[in-house]
Amino acid sequence: MTDAALPSLSQTPSRSRAKGPWSLGKTALGLAGLAIFLLLWEAAPGFGLISPLLLPPPSSLPGAFWRDLQSGAWHEAMFASLSHYLLGLALGSGLGVGLGVWAGVSPQFEAATSYIVRILRPIPGLAWVPFAIIWFGVSTGGATFIVAVGVFWINFFAAVAAVQAVDRDLIEVADAFGHRSIRAKLAKIILPAAAPGILGGLRTGLGQAWMAVVAAELFGVPGLGQRMMQASSLLATEIVVVYMLTIAALYGLCDYLFVLWRDALLKWKP
Amino acid sequence: MSNAAITLDRLGLSFVGADRVTPIFEAFDLRVSRGEFVAIVGRSGVGKSTLLRILAGLAKPSAGRFDLALSDKKGTRPIALVFQDSRLLPWRRILANVELGLEGLGLSKQDRRKRAEDALALVGLADQAGKWPHQLSGGQRQRVALARALAVDPDLLLMDEPFAALDAITRRFLQDELLRIRAATGKTILFVTHDVDEALYLADRVVLLAGSPARARLDRRIDAAHPRARDAVASSDLAQDIHRALEV
Ligand SMILES: Nc1ncnc2c1ncn2[C@@H]1O[C@H](COP(=O)(O)OP(=O)(O)OP(=O)(O)O)[C@@H](O)[C@H]1O
Ligand SMILES: [Mg+2]
């Protein structure tokens, strides 16, 4: 930092001056990297390095996307997946946070569930697919179940840890000012204090849940995953890529909206 | 009817560690009359904060009895505690922090707000109402904690070194403010401090805790009327006695 040698009028302006052009430069560099990546991708089949069937060039994607838009297949798959995603997420996160908070405040409940947790927790979410199919069939219910299982544990453990880490001294403040019931303590101290940790768990779940959605749909529940399987069996790889990018975009959007909401909730944080 | 606000009768409390039990109080007696302003002094670690925590219902004595005879008017809380550290809730703005004790008292939102604003004005922080705790200095936060306790208009006010973090001018201002509130409301006050001059300037009575388990090594009335001259208080015989007793 050459600025350090300047007369120390003010440190903040010099830092923001240094940051402005650099952050622009970073954006430019990122875009350049992306352009080179797309060019290499486009050129690879041309050089005969790989068959366009195995790796569809980026230029084939807009057309494929347009065709699925026209036929309505894209909307249908997208909304189906989104509903699996949101339902499963709400169910898994709600139960995970709820039971996690309970285990966090009640040592009895934590002890009573400790062995159940130890047995169930290591089971990968996808290992539940056979039961999902038996219980719910190849249906929205089955997909929702897989997604819910996929995010439950993340939220459960995040909530337990966040609640157990709440500063005892602050809980004492509630006691000192007459808020002695567990309900009052939850509302006034525990939940706000644990919110950063709980929201961190929820955000991790947002990513995990897309994995579970696609996995559940690969088994035939209508949605983005199923459309990808259909396309790949027809070797329509450009359609597969279109849906891969659709998932990336949906995840990005969900995460972006979630972060906006989280930052609004946590605006008290320094 | 007895005139005691606080009666501690052969109170006992120990902390159980890994390898030994440390008795902080053993058969400890103390009576505080209604409306009395008692300063508690004593060396670090003697049990002053622990005593306030017992009275506030935050720590359970392991032996003995304690009785509190406090009025519980509607819209107030019988006891409020100013912690040694400010302990504001970081997710609440300053005004909402001061409202904490007023919630659950059946007050309207406007009443709560009004009383919190008045309490904040009392400690000279009316203009900071909309800030977050982390945006205030340590001394300002301590004043907010004082406002939070005053807002509930407690009959018994427990204060744990409330002015220790303040500059001399703010401290004097708040000391006089506290005396004014006390004269106007007749609250019973237990005031822990390391500052002997402060104790002598404010209190009707000084109790010096010492030893392990803690005893009242010195317990003296101060009859001088308010306002007291600060330098006269500092050079009084009682001041010498207290300093000597603290050094033992
Ligand atoms: N939770 C605890 N567990 C074990 N020991 C404790 C606990 N809290 C306090 N103590 C011990 O009890 C004693 C009294 O503590 P207390 O906080 O009441 O002291 P104090 O007189 O307020 O001191 P200071 O002037 O430094 O604030 C200390 O020796 C302390 O180590
Ligand atoms: Mg203390």
Side-chain angles (χ1 to χ4, degrees):
Chain A
M1 290 287 277
T2 51
D3 279 6
L6 292 173
S8 62
L9 266 174
S10 155
Q11 298 222 321
T12 333
S14 76
R15 232 195 311 138
S16 61
R17 238 191 303 129
K19 193 184 143 205
W22 171 226
S23 74
L24 261 182
K26 274 203 287 202
T27 311
L29 219 57
L31 288 175
L34 182 63
I36 291 170
F37 174 72
L38 289 175
L39 277 174
L40 285 176
W41 178 3
E42 183 74 37
F47 290 133
L49 288 174
I50 190 165
S51 146
L53 213 52
L54 298 181
L55 186 66
S59 58
S60 69
L61 300 179
F65 181 43
W66 183 245
R67 279 192 300 280
D68 261 31
L69 267 185
Q70 292 270 294
S71 72
W74 188 82
H75 297 87
E76 212 174 293
M78 201 267 291
F79 283 120
S81 286
L82 207 57
S83 87
H84 302 152
Y85 178 75
L86 293 176
L87 279 173
L89 203 59
L91 194 69
S93 306
L95 283 173
V97 170
L99 292 174
V101 168
W102 187 5
V105 294
S106 161
Q108 290 87 341
F109 181 70
E110 198 197 9
T113 52
S114 62
Y115 284 101
I116 305 173
V117 167
R118 251 178 254 181
I119 294 168
L120 293 184
R121 170 201 185 174
I123 300 174
L126 293 186
W128 288 95
V129 165
F131 274 113
I133 293 173
I134 293 168
W135 290 340
F136 301 99
V138 181
S139 67
T140 299
T144 303
F145 174 75
I146 293 298
V147 175
V149 172
V151 298
F152 174 84
W153 292 113
I154 298 166
N155 284 286
F156 178 82
F157 288 109
V160 174
V163 166
Q164 286 177 345
V166 174
D167 189 352
R168 299 282 118 192
D169 286 357
L170 292 184
I171 297 180
E172 225 176 62
V173 172
D175 277 313
F177 284 91
H179 304 300
R180 295 194 172 229
S181 71
I182 184 68
R183 259 192 67 181
K185 279 191 192 130
L186 274 173
K188 297 197 189 294
I189 309 288
I190 297 172
L191 290 179
I198 292 174
L199 289 166
L202 283 172
R203 189 177 175 196
T204 314
L206 290 185
Q208 288 287 314
W210 274 118
M211 242 158 70
V213 166
V214 174
E217 291 169 356
L218 291 180
F219 291 98
V221 186
L224 298 167
Q226 189 208 37
R227 182 83 186 106
M228 282 163 74
M229 280 309 270
Q230 282 173 352
S232 86
S233 65
L234 302 172
L235 282 182
T237 44
E238 71 280 5
I239 294 184
V240 176
V241 175
V242 164
Y243 283 92
M244 286 166 71
L245 294 177
T246 300
I247 292 166
L250 285 176
Y251 175 32
L253 180 69
C254 293
D255 191 61
Y256 175 77
L257 293 175
F258 181 84
V259 166
L260 283 185
W261 177 64
R262 181 198 65 183
D263 289 350
L265 275 182
L266 300 184
K267 62 178 181 294
W268 53 271
K269 281 195 80 93
Chain B
M1 193 188 124
S2 134
N3 191 33
I6 304 174
T7 313
L8 303 183
D9 186 14
R10 300 191 62 74
L11 197 81
L13 184 141
S14 310
F15 285 112
V16 182
D19 50 347
R20 64 195 178 131
V21 177
T22 320
I24 309 296
F25 292 107
E26 212 172 272
F28 181 78
D29 296 327
L30 182 74
R31 265 176 61 99
V32 175
S33 307
R34 295 187 148 280
E36 205 172 14
F37 191 144
V38 179
I40 311 242
V41 297
R43 299 270 283 270
S44 179
V46 75
K48 305 180 296 295
S49 297
T50 305
L51 179 61
L52 296 195
R53 290 168 44 81
I54 292 173
L55 293 170
L58 301 178
K60 258 204 161 57
S62 45
R65 289 185 330 119
F66 76 100
D67 281 325
L68 300 176
L70 303 170
S71 83
D72 194 358
K73 291 195 302 281
K74 200 180 167 325
T76 73
R77 294 202 182 269
I79 306 177
L81 171 59
V82 183
F83 289 93
Q84 196 165 356
D85 44 347
S86 56
R87 297 204 196 173
L88 302 184
L89 308 181
W91 52 86
R92 285 182 178 227
R93 293 181 194 272
I94 297 306
L95 190 67
N97 260 289
V98 177
E99 283 185 34
L100 178 72
L102 297 168
E103 293 161 6
L105 289 180
L107 299 166
S108 73
K109 224 178 151 142
Q110 292 89 320
D111 276 358
R112 273 202 326 248
R113 200 189 159 95
K114 174 87 181 59
R115 281 181 50 184
E117 281 169 351
D118 290 349
L120 262 188
L122 213 61
V123 299
L125 291 176
D127 53 339
Q128 311 285 326
K131 290 202 174 159
W132 299 110
H134 74 86
Q135 295 172 311
L136 265 55
S137 74
Q140 288 174 322
R141 281 201 286 267
Q142 193 57 24
R143 278 145 75 195
V144 175
L146 176 61
R148 176 173 69 184
L150 291 174
V152 300
D153 192 16
D155 196 23
L156 172 60
L157 182 55
L158 304 169
M159 308 177 81
D160 201 347
E161 301 186 37
F163 304 150
L166 305 179
D167 67 281
I169 295 176
T170 312
R171 185 186 311 137
R172 285 177 180 204
F173 169 77
L174 287 176
Q175 286 168 346
D176 289 328
E177 202 57 25
L178 183 62
L179 287 174
R180 190 187 62 69
I181 291 168
R182 192 284 184 113
T185 60
K187 292 183 192 310
T188 308
I189 301 177
L190 245 65
F191 188 103
V192 169
T193 177
H194 279 285
D195 181 346
V196 174
D197 297 349
E198 180 173 61
L200 295 175
Y201 180 71
L202 292 173
D204 306 327
R205 177 179 163 198
V206 180
V207 174
L208 187 150
L209 296 183
S212 175
R215 301 262 170 239
R217 175 175 292 163
L218 176 150
D219 186 345
R220 298 268 281 274
R221 293 202 55 79
I222 311 165
D223 290 320
H226 292 286
R228 295 172 182 163
R230 290 181 186 269
D231 41 358
V233 158
S235 58
S236 66
D237 290 345
L238 181 51
Q240 304 309 313
D241 290 352
I242 295 174
H243 281 297
R244 221 170 294 127
L246 277 171
E247 273 157 30
V248 175

